[in-house]
Amino acid sequence: MVEEEQKYEVDDTFVLPDLSATAPVGGRVRVLPPMTLVARYLDTVDLRLARAGASLRHREGDEPPWTVKLPTGTPGVRHEISRAGPAGQPPPELVELVTVLHRGMPLTPVTVVRTVRHAHEVCAGDGTVLAEVVDDRVSVLDHTGAVTSTFREVEVERKAGDRELLGRIGSALRDAGARAGAFTPKHVRALGPGAQAEPDLVAPGELADDPSAGDVVTEAVRKEVRRLLANDPLVRLGGPTGGDSAVHQLRVACRRLRSDLRTFRPLVRRSWARPLRDELRWLAGVLGGARDAEVLRERLRRTATADPLSPLDPDAVDRLDDALAQRQRQALAAIDEALRSPRYLALVDALVLAARAPRLTRRAATPAARTLPKLVARPWRQLTGPDGVDGLDPLAPDDRWHAVRKQGKQARYAVTAVLPAVGRDARRLARALARVQDVLGEHQDAAVAAETWLALAAERPDDHGLAVTAGRLAERERDTVHQMRARFPDAWHRATRRRRTRWLP
């Protein structure tokens, strides 16, 4: 569940305005009875969760009472996951969701917040709750239950309404004297400056006008580490599959970071980068089975319905999908086991340290604009040379085309990594290489799918209907392979135009 809310600072003299005018025509405002909520927050002793914008709490009056909130990168918008459990024992599932934040450190009570809440629901004519406005009087309690500080705030949470409604409510609150400020969760205010210190994971920033090569390396590492760790809890939650799933994003982050460490090899300490690349290869491998099953299941339905004039046996297609679903369940179980392992916890620790301070060589101090194009030239030459596209026979086996695809991906990742230093010319090449990768990726997916459909049918030799359907699917996939080979020369020609490659030495 995604929670979207806005906070407003108010003093003790503030009077909540009449919100009726903010409701849509035919709507109304429903006033709920006051309630008292007591929330106990858990964190590490150094407040790793709070500093990262996350929280784990038990709140009396909620059902279920345990809640984890995770940042999304957008102020006021957080992932909210709640589970049942006794007051003294946080559900293991929720503790695991914040693994990349606590990284094995014990979670203990750090603050208690008591809130006296007056809630107002802005409703549509049919009673649907569009937004909730709560006037909270908050007391911070110590371990004896004594009040150590108090504050008051108004929250507006979006429910079924749109952002325009939130804007009208916000205007009414400001007109009444409320002050819109930075989004600061209650427990962060309660914990004080320590909870507002910098998080352990250093976020990407803005590069200087004339960055060093090391500056670009550092930002590239931070970007992919951030992507990897942000998708960890989403993978654990078992979110949507296919397309741009969390499993896919986690795997992409592994691959890009490994690629960047390889491209920037002369700029990073080998003794530091090599073990990191090895562990990222391990994690990407674990993720591979689930991602492959995602792609194949999505492709199965698309290929099966590609020609409405020549429909396939839907029951046979379902049997193929069932077999892939079984593979996917096994692969997801392997991911779950890996993410709970000490090996993964050690990798997360290493990634957080890597984002804070990559181990660079002396050459990293040189100007990026002078150094980085030379590093990109190496994967570019491999892609364009006799072992790459120049030696690619249109009738070559699928494996040969796949090898070029991997070279193309390495070159594209390298070009993308140096974009902040090279600018427009590199951006042009990156876009063109993305189109090349689209062609080669579709070629590879079709080739793998054709083999998979036939292999699944071979596992059930007595299922003749399945064999026929798998054969027809394989024919369609091979037709796609031929189409992609025909499209490749034009995509490659566009990518290698001089205006896109002139910055390469």
Side-chain angles (χ1 to χ4, degrees):
M1 171 180 161
V2 175
E3 173 195 67
E4 181 178 348
E5 62 183 17
Q6 299 170 349
K7 288 181 180 285
Y8 295 86
E9 296 178 6
V10 297
D11 57 31
D12 287 337
T13 64
F14 176 79
V15 176
L16 196 70
D18 182 4
L19 299 172
S20 300
T22 67
V25 176
R28 64 188 180 91
V29 174
R30 183 163 56 213
V31 180
L32 303 183
M35 63 186 306
T36 299
L37 303 167
V38 178
R40 292 172 171 80
Y41 288 86
L42 276 62
D43 208 330
T44 61
V45 292
D46 56 356
L47 305 180
R48 295 181 179 184
L49 272 63
R51 288 188 288 114
S55 66
L56 170 60
R57 77 174 184 216
H58 178 278
R59 190 162 74 178
E60 298 173 13
D62 282 351
E63 188 57 44
W66 283 100
T67 299
V68 156
K69 294 189 178 184
L70 300 168
T72 64
T74 302
V77 181
R78 295 179 291 179
H79 295 289
E80 181 177 307
I81 307 97
S82 298
R83 297 290 186 267
Q89 293 182 319
E93 179 186 357
L94 296 189
V95 175
E96 289 172 3
L97 283 182
V98 290
T99 293
V100 297
L101 301 179
H102 64 67
R103 305 194 305 284
M105 286 283 289
L107 296 173
T108 58
V110 291
T111 191
V112 179
V113 174
R114 183 177 66 208
T115 301
V116 178
R117 170 163 293 178
H118 293 78
H120 300 69
E121 294 177 337
V122 181
C123 304
D126 62 359
T128 300
V129 179
L130 304 176
E132 183 181 52
V133 181
V134 297
D135 184 357
D136 287 343
R137 296 178 182 270
V138 183
S139 301
V140 181
L141 311 180
D142 65 14
H143 67 282
T144 68
V147 176
T148 59
S149 63
T150 62
F151 58 89
R152 185 182 176 192
E153 66 180 18
V154 173
E155 290 181 357
V156 183
E157 183 175 351
R158 181 183 175 190
K159 298 294 187 180
D162 55 23
R163 289 189 175 88
E164 183 178 347
L165 172 61
L166 265 62
R168 293 199 303 271
I169 295 173
S171 295
L173 292 173
R174 289 191 294 273
D175 289 344
R179 301 177 302 278
F183 182 88
T184 305
K186 287 182 179 64
H187 74 293
V188 173
R189 292 184 65 175
L191 289 166
Q196 300 181 48
E198 290 297 319
D200 287 349
L201 179 61
V202 180
E206 294 292 330
L207 286 170
D209 292 338
D210 187 19
S212 70
D215 292 336
V216 176
V217 173
T218 299
E219 289 307 299
V221 169
R222 287 175 177 172
K223 177 183 176 182
E224 295 310 324
V225 170
R226 187 180 185 87
R227 186 209 300 252
L228 193 155
L229 299 187
N231 280 282
D232 169 288
L234 303 182
V235 170
R236 294 175 190 269
L237 283 171
T241 59
D244 199 27
S245 69
V247 170
H248 174 54
Q249 285 297 315
L250 196 61
R251 191 184 187 200
V252 167
C254 290
R255 288 181 163 184
R256 281 185 177 266
L257 188 49
R258 286 190 67 240
S259 175
D260 290 346
L261 293 174
R262 180 179 179 183
T263 298
F264 297 135
R265 188 160 39 196
L267 309 178
V268 295
R269 298 287 180 88
R270 182 178 181 182
S271 59
W272 169 80
R274 188 169 183 176
L276 200 55
R277 290 188 72 243
D278 289 343
E279 291 305 281
L280 289 167
R281 181 190 298 113
W282 160 72
L283 180 57
V286 172
L287 296 165
R291 177 56 185 164
D292 291 345
E294 282 182 355
V295 171
L296 285 166
R297 293 189 72 187
E298 190 176 342
R299 189 174 191 91
L300 173 62
R301 298 298 177 180
R302 188 169 69 247
T303 304
T305 58
D307 185 359
L309 299 178
S310 182
L312 302 183
D313 179 358
D315 292 336
V317 172
D318 286 344
R319 292 198 292 279
L320 289 170
D321 185 62
D322 288 343
L324 292 174
Q326 176 62 22
R327 286 189 184 182
Q328 188 173 18
R329 285 191 291 270
Q330 293 173 348
L332 290 173
I335 291 176
D336 185 60
E337 182 179 354
L339 296 187
R340 294 180 177 183
S341 69
R343 182 176 184 178
Y344 177 71
L345 204 60
L347 173 58
V348 170
D349 249 338
L351 290 172
V352 171
L353 292 173
R356 184 180 303 166
R359 301 291 297 277
L360 306 175
T361 63
R362 291 182 180 179
R363 188 176 171 185
T366 58
R370 187 179 73 206
T371 301
L372 297 184
K374 298 175 183 177
L375 300 184
V376 177
R378 180 177 180 181
W380 179 251
R381 285 194 298 268
Q382 291 175 338
L383 173 61
T384 59
D387 293 330
V389 176
D390 282 357
L392 184 61
D393 187 329
L395 299 178
D398 294 335
D399 288 348
R400 180 72 177 84
W401 281 77
H402 181 44
V404 171
R405 175 183 177 242
K406 291 192 291 185
Q407 291 172 334
K409 185 174 291 187
Q410 173 68 26
R412 180 192 169 197
Y413 286 169
V415 172
T416 302
V418 303
L419 277 176
V422 178
R424 183 176 60 182
D425 288 343
R427 186 171 292 105
R428 287 173 173 169
L429 180 56
R431 288 173 179 168
L433 285 176
R435 289 189 287 270
V436 170
Q437 283 301 108
D438 287 342
V439 173
L440 292 175
E442 180 67 5
H443 177 285
Q444 173 65 9
D445 288 349
V448 170
E451 293 180 359
T452 301
W453 312 145
L454 296 177
L456 289 175
E459 293 174 1
R460 302 183 183 183
D462 296 330
D463 191 336
H464 302 300
L466 187 67
V468 171
T469 298
R472 294 180 66 188
L473 284 167
E475 287 179 357
R476 292 180 181 183
E477 302 291 6
R478 292 310 305 178
D479 182 59
T480 298
V481 167
H482 294 310
Q483 291 179 35
M484 293 305 104
R485 293 193 182 200
R487 285 176 53 184
F488 177 76
D490 181 62
W492 181 245
H493 174 71
R494 291 174 181 272
T496 53
R497 286 178 177 172
R498 180 60 184 164
R499 66 190 180 94
R500 293 191 174 96
T501 62
R502 60 191 175 192
W503 59 278
L504 291 168

